[in-house]
Amino acid sequence: MKCCLVKWIIASTAPQGPDDISESELEMATVRHQPEGLDQLQTQTKFTRKELQSLYRGFKNECPSGLVDEETFKMIYSQFFPQGDATTYAHFLFNAFDTDRSGSIRFEDFVIGLSVLLRGSVNEKLRWAFNLYDINKDGYITKEEMLAIMTSIYDMMGRYTTPSVKDDAPFEHVEKFFQKMDKNRDGVVTFDEFIETCQKDDNIMSSMQLFENVI
Amino acid sequence: MAAGVATWLPFARAAAVGWLPLAKKTMPRPPVDKKSRSDEILFVNVSGQRFQTWKNTLDRYPDTLLGSSEKEFFYNEDTQEYFFDRDPEMFRHILNFYRTGKLHYPRHECIQAFDEELAFYGIIPEIIGDCCMEEYRDRKKENQERLAEDNEAGEGGDAPLPPNSTSREKLWRAFENPHTSTMALVFYYVTGFFIAVSVIANVVETVPCRPIIGTVKDLPCGMKYSLAFFCMDTACVLIFTFEYLMRLFAAPSRCMFARSVMSVIDVVAIMPYYIGLVMPENEDVSGAFVTLRVFRVFRIFKFSRHSAGLRILGYTLKSCASELGFLLFSLTMAIIIFATVMFYAEKGTKGTTFTSIPASFWYTIVTMTTLGYGDMVPNTIAGKIFGSICSLSGVLVIALPVPVIVSNFSRIYHQNQRADKMRAQQKVRLARIRLAKKGCTNAFLQYKDDGGLQDHDSGSTALCVKNRSAFEHQHNHLLHCLEKTTNHEFTDELTYSEVCMTESLGYRTSRSTSLSSHHGSSTTCCPRRAKRRPIRLANSTVSVSRGSMQELDTLHVQKTTVVPQSRSSLNARTEDLKLNCDDRDFTAAIISIPTPPANTPDESLPTSPAFPGILRNSRSTTFNPDTVKISSL
């Protein structure tokens, strides 16, 4: 026992070996990500060169490391909706952008997503929306998924609304949605049902053009 | 909102596409953006140093100067850039704020300069980043404290009272700032002396003197010379009582004064005497009476009015109350623990001095403070071990809060020293300002002499006039306009005093350099306070000598020591006073105010409110044929 104690004392007071150093160095080193080349992004998205430059400058300014993790994303998105709680919806949004499920949004994800939203065709936009609602990405929107999305949207409104949000408002909204979208009444909405219903709805189609001039 | 928010807004808006299929109502139309979307680089020239930045960067904060259209005022068309005539070093930090969203405070810069720059660019200091906020706040507080001290020093002690101050206010001022008047100074020293006398008497009366003839025992001096001591005590208490009552009368807020520490000390110092007077010579009560006499020693605290160091010490103790409390608390804990341990350790010993735990307290305290009287000593081994632990820990516990108290004391002491330094520097500064003012007036008079006010078109203007700067010309023209407006002319002190010497001066007036001197006019150059008493006859001034009022600072008695301490230091002219005043005629303080030159002598001039008081002085109304000279101009 005495030699164990001595060994322990020596080990704790001795300088750290090379393994220890590299571990701590890794922890300290910031993760840095470089995006793909400008030309490549130009082919992948529908943005012009200048727009991509401007977007990257803004992105790089905010996230010098080149990656946005979920916490930062939630924080940023919550700033736009100070009255309510936007974290749940931000979570869903994050997953919608983070297509490869890496846990962080890179500039490519960011810009590709934006390209679809702003410069994509109506079908592409609708597909993006469907992807957002389909939380587990299995191709079907169930009532539970829709309810989760709806609740998170109503959460963003906060408490102080007129008329005030009733507790079952999300549920009712989901019911209405399913009534409209679920043609074969099987309890899930598939992408085709979704597209078909949306294309027939004039309101939705006309509003798809709204956000084109955002950038 | 932070900078990041502006950058992410387009993204958040784009993500709103996700709501479209769910929307219950139609979406509103987006705002029309008339501005060109393309980003451009702006050039900003700050005192020669050129900065370039994207327009978007500056647009992040639309409520600042650079982010709004306000910067268009600074746009220089010729060079196609925004030009600011400000410090380029500071601008670097400002621009970094736009770029990174965090404002940093450069430690080597003056806090006021930084604040001014922020104010200019429309940035509120609250957004300074956390890394620099503490430093910024500390520096700002320090600066404000220093400025507040300066103001206090300027306004507080040395400035003269406003003219319409009652005698009560003057008295209070005399008490609070004894160096402002000689009487107050004298009183201050007298009370100090009597405090010392009283304390020494209290001490000496307990010393054993030689016994009275016929007895053997040594008597304390207080008993032997009881009458002498009683008389001295009475005298001291009378003085203290008188002082206390005067302070009470003069205090602006009597309740607050009665509750202040110094007044409590005063009361406690004089109460025992009166109680002793009232109480009968009863054996039973005299025990309590003796206790009361102890309170007489509190007279020594009255010295704190006289000593700034004592006050600082008291203030330090007050501000370190929490540290002292902690010290006390930890000591108490340690005492209880060790006393208990020692008591039980020594319990078995025969004839031990540790008779109970409270009895052990004494041992513990003496040991922890490393005094070690030796009247209580442990005998058992366990007792000795614990005793040594006790003394070691005592040193530690006491040594911990002491540096905090010391540093507090040092800080307050230095602050106080700085205040004194400020006061001294203030006097020098005022003197310099006075000199500068005089210089300015003299420059104008010189200008007039050189014929500067003449028509400049004539080619005969002197060279010295021509060489004056444009600023001087314009300034002198302005003064000339003022002269023409009031139909009076500027003159200097000497000329004025010469003119006035020919007349006897009764009512002292204060003058500013903008005096009226009418050459050859039928008015007097010494404007009277004619409101109450238009005694002046036409073409003459009748002044009354007896009521010769001097411009004095409050309660100054000697005429030769009149120091122009007032703000408008252009009052109080010592030459005049020497010429004209009588030794006998000192009246209470007149604070004179600068009177503007009067167009005609019959105009009522602003009078000092002390004037009515002066008029009541019966001597001032007599026309003493000896001293009145009637002069006609």
Side-chain angles (χ1 to χ4, degrees), chain B residues 146-160:
Chain B
R146 203 173 302 175
L147 285 178
E149 272 175 28
D150 284 355
N151 281 343
E152 267 180 40
E155 294 166 7
D158 306 343

Side-chain angles (χ1 to χ4, degrees), chain A residues 1-12:
Chain A
M1 201 191 89
K2 207 161 83 166
C3 51
C4 288
L5 184 65
V6 167
K7 269 197 208 150
W8 176 75
I9 293 174
I10 292 175
S12 52

Side-chain angles (χ1 to χ4, degrees), chain A residues 174-189:
Chain A
V174 169
E175 287 299 315
K176 259 199 356 206
F177 177 79
F178 265 78
Q179 260 183 343
K180 215 167 60 166
M181 301 275 173
D182 192 9
K183 289 291 188 287
N184 57 1
R185 299 270 174 263
D186 57 354
V188 293
V189 176

